[in-house]
Amino acid sequence: MSVYVISEVEVLDEELADTYRALAEDSIRRHGGRYLVRGALPDAVEGTWPASQRLVVLEFPDAERAREWYASAEYAPALKLRQSALERRLLFVDGVSG
């Protein structure tokens, strides 16, 4: 069953964020993930969404692959850089089967 990684992101440093994105994209691909939404400013039909935040949605084949990616040596440099580049909330969500 597909697993989705949802990230609510606020960029703290645009230059570092660009480097983070490049590192993250390569590691995501290596672990079978793909971007569904990247850096979107959502249209909040109900509730509010801060204008400074963006949304990222990734799809992985299953929870094991998503967790392997997050804990991987390939993603580690991006994750370390993320602390200075971005403030975020990161969620793993199971898809619906059938």
Side-chain angles (χ1 to χ4, degrees), residues 2 12 17 29 33-34 37 39 41 53 57-59 72 80 83 88-89 91 96:
S2 292
L12 302 175
R29 217 181 357 245
R34 68 184 183 115
V37 177
L41 178 59
Q53 286 191 355
V57 180
L58 306 173
E59 180 183 39
S72 72
K80 184 175 181 182
Q83 296 170 3
R88 75 172 176 195
R89 178 185 345 216
L91 309 166
V96 177

Side-chain angles (χ1 to χ4, degrees), residues 31-71:
H31 289 272
R34 68 184 183 115
Y35 284 94
L36 298 179
V37 177
R38 189 170 189 180
L41 178 59
D43 179 13
V45 178
E46 291 187 20
T48 60
W49 184 270
S52 62
Q53 286 191 355
R54 299 296 180 261
L55 184 69
V56 177
V57 180
L58 306 173
E59 180 183 39
F60 283 88
D62 54 49
E64 183 178 346
R65 298 286 295 273
R67 294 199 181 281
E68 285 175 358
W69 158 72
Y70 187 76

Side-chain angles (χ1 to χ4, degrees), residues 18-35 38 58 60 65 69 72-78:
D18 287 342
T19 304
Y20 166 83
R21 287 181 198 110
L23 292 169
E25 182 174 17
D26 184 53
S27 69
I28 290 163
R29 217 181 357 245
R30 287 180 183 208
H31 289 272
R34 68 184 183 115
Y35 284 94
R38 189 170 189 180
L58 306 173
F60 283 88
R65 298 286 295 273
W69 158 72
S72 72
E74 295 91 0
Y75 184 57

